Amino acid sequence: MVRELLAGLIDYAGVFPPAALPLDQALTNYARYQTSPEAWMLGRFVLPVAQVILSPAKQVRFSAIVGDGDLDKIPPHVDSIEMKVSTPAQIESAAARISKNVTTYFEITDLTLLPVIRAVGARAKSRTGGITPDAFPPASQIAEFLVACARANVAFKATAGLHHPLRCYRPLTYAADGPSGWMYGFLNVFTAAIFARRGVTNLEQILLAESPDDLPRVDDPGEVAAVRRDFAISFGSCSFEEPVADLKALRLI
């Protein structure tokens, strides 16, 4: 069951805060992760499109972060992009310019945009944290996003603040004097997504669980695999090593 839930789950975003690594170091890390025993959990390499263009690695499965002005600069070897939007017109205009062979995630805060995302055949993206305590939304907001995506039949990915498997109070950056705060766990979010897909709307208890024993059991590996394939796709993290280390500490892998 763990393998079905975690397979390809972590998109590596090492150039983004709080890691903020140089491109060459992040590329070296990603190559190392691809040959590690935990490579089965590794998803795409997330980069701003300008760095994708500069990257010497053309065989990497990139997901490029783009803006309106970047849509004509997407390299042909990139088949996944992520873009912030705030209006239906932005979504429709971008979709008209993006190749149908490119999987597109539109990052939103307005859930009324989900039907438009569905209509253009794209996916949604939501932020689940950041590098300051106020960047973490309330559990009710994450739950609302998951339920709305399930109802609209829109697949999604999450990003930011999901370095650890379970909700916990941790430093939010790698700086010695940086802030600490409550972080959501990726097991919480993706378990909640399974139940959202079932039609469950009361997800806050799942999102706030701090122990594996407090998460509801899911006994059907086929269901988990289907949810991951068609609905709850991945999450972006500037660390691959932290999630792996925590999962080992919990003896889940």
Side-chain angles (χ1 to χ4, degrees), residues 58-239:
K58 304 304 181 186
Q59 304 305 315
V60 171
R61 296 175 65 238
F62 288 112
S63 191
I65 306 297
V66 303
D68 283 326
D70 299 320
L71 295 177
D72 299 322
K73 304 173 186 176
I74 301 170
H77 61 284
V78 171
D79 62 358
S80 176
I81 63 171
E82 305 173 25
M83 178 180 175
K84 287 185 179 181
V85 294
S86 57
T87 68
Q90 272 186 296
I91 295 170
E92 291 165 348
S93 174
R97 297 168 61 192
I98 298 167
S99 167
K100 300 301 181 185
N101 297 323
V102 174
T103 299
T104 302
Y105 292 87
F106 288 117
E107 182 179 332
I108 61 170
T109 55
D110 181 357
L111 299 182
T112 67
L113 296 176
L114 286 172
V116 186
I117 293 174
R118 170 66 178 171
V120 300
R123 296 173 174 180
K125 176 182 172 182
S126 181
R127 293 196 168 266
T128 47
I131 57 173
T132 58
D134 61 353
F136 288 78
S140 59
Q141 185 174 317
I142 298 177
E144 186 179 8
F145 173 81
L146 296 175
V147 170
C149 284
R151 287 175 172 168
N153 196 23
V154 172
F156 76 92
K157 73 173 294 184
T159 192
L162 294 180
H163 289 197
H164 304 285
L166 294 159
R167 185 174 183 263
C168 55
Y169 191 87
R170 296 285 188 96
L172 303 182
T173 72
Y174 301 121
D177 58 349
S180 294
W182 284 101
M183 309 174 75
Y184 295 103
F186 55 85
L187 292 182
N188 302 78
V189 172
F190 285 85
T191 300
I194 295 169
F195 284 85
R197 189 72 158 176
R198 290 180 182 180
V200 176
T201 59
N202 184 11
L203 304 174
E204 291 184 43
Q205 186 174 354
I206 300 174
L207 293 168
L208 297 175
E210 298 174 35
S211 164
D213 296 334
D214 294 331
L215 292 174
R217 288 178 57 87
V218 180
D219 296 320
D220 183 353
E223 177 191 19
V224 176
V227 168
R228 285 291 326 289
R229 182 186 66 241
D230 302 327
F231 180 54
I233 307 302
S234 64
F235 73 93
S237 171
C238 74
S239 174

